[in-house]
């Protein structure tokens, strides 16, 4: 029960920041997968914001998308939600997501992406000129939250991610 309450409190904190535009940075980190010899990558948008966008691919080309947020006490896992991402005035991307504990400090909501879906999303982020809006809805908790992320660094980060993850452009 404590974790459900914490998830609700963390989500409420997201709501209070929804009207604020953050000066977000987009960054990509590329590494080598020791098992396959292929590149792995992580792309993060919204660095320092209440709601961060987190894309990753591994050496097997498994792509995932998450929104992560500070959650020192963890979150209840496997709660369903919907993640919506929209670059500038383009059509929004909608994903069914599930809650998870990202690490000791962060919780989040995660979706697995096909290579085609990952390519479309990364291309949209790459082309964004004004903003990327990330929205999270958790019906079970009656929560809707969104953040507007700046596009600073998004083109370079998306190019690096697409190349490392062998996504079509």
């Amino acid at each position: 029960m404590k974790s459900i309450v914490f998830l609700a409190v963390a989500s409420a904190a997201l709501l209070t920041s929804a009207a604020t535009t953050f000066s977000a940075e987009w960054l990509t980190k590329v590494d080598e997968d020791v098992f396959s010899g292929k590149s792995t990558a992580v792309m993060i948008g919204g660095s320092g914001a209440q709601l961060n966008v987190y894309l990753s691919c591994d050496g097997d080309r498994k792509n995932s998308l998450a929104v992560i947020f500070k959650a020192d006490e963890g979150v209840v896992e496997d709660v369903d939600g919907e993640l919506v991402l929209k670059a500038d005035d383009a059509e929004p991307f909608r994903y069914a997501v599930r809650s998870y504990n990202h690490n000791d400090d962060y919780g989040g909501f995660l979706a697995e992406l096909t290579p085609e879906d990952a390519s479309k999303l990364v291309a949209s982020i790459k082309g964004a000129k004004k903003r990327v809006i990330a929205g999270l809805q958790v019906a079970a908790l009656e929560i809707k939250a969104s953040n507007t992320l700046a596009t600073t660094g998004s083109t370079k980060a998306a190019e690096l991610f697409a190349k490392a993850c062998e996504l079509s452009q």
Side-chain angles (χ1 to χ4, degrees):
M1 184 65 173
K2 180 179 177 184
S3 294
I4 291 174
V5 172
F6 182 77
L7 181 59
V9 170
S11 297
L14 293 174
L15 287 172
T16 62
S17 64
T20 305
T21 300
F22 290 93
S23 179
E25 293 290 328
W26 289 82
L27 304 168
T28 295
K29 183 178 187 290
V30 177
D31 284 314
E32 181 182 346
D33 177 51
V34 69
F35 300 105
S36 68
K38 294 183 178 180
S39 296
T40 64
V42 170
M43 183 168 79
I44 299 175
S47 180
Q50 291 283 335
L51 189 65
N52 299 280
V53 175
Y54 185 95
L55 288 108
S56 66
C57 74
D58 63 16
D60 296 327
R61 296 300 167 247
K62 179 180 166 189
N63 297 284
S64 63
L65 164 67
V67 287
I68 59 174
F69 48 85
K70 195 80 166 148
D72 294 328
E73 295 181 33
V75 298
V76 173
E77 295 189 338
D78 297 324
V79 175
D80 292 328
E82 180 182 35
L83 172 60
V84 180
L85 291 173
K86 181 179 177 182
D88 293 336
D89 296 322
E91 286 296 313
F93 293 92
R94 297 179 181 277
Y95 305 97
V97 291
R98 298 199 92 167
S99 63
Y100 77 111
N101 285 295
H102 186 75
N103 59 28
D104 289 343
D105 298 321
Y106 285 84
F109 283 80
L110 176 74
E112 301 299 326
L113 301 180
T114 66
E116 295 79 25
D117 287 342
S119 292
K120 290 176 185 175
L121 177 60
V122 171
S124 182
I125 292 169
K126 176 183 173 182
K129 301 296 181 212
K130 299 181 287 185
R131 65 183 182 208
V132 175
I133 303 172
L136 176 65
Q137 179 175 354
V138 183
L141 299 174
E142 298 181 6
I143 292 171
K144 286 185 181 179
S146 65
N147 273 342
T148 300
L149 309 173
T151 59
T152 307
S154 64
T155 300
K156 182 177 178 182
E159 288 172 350
L160 287 171
F161 187 85
K163 182 178 178 184
C165 299
E166 300 173 355
L167 298 175
S168 62
Q169 289 292 295

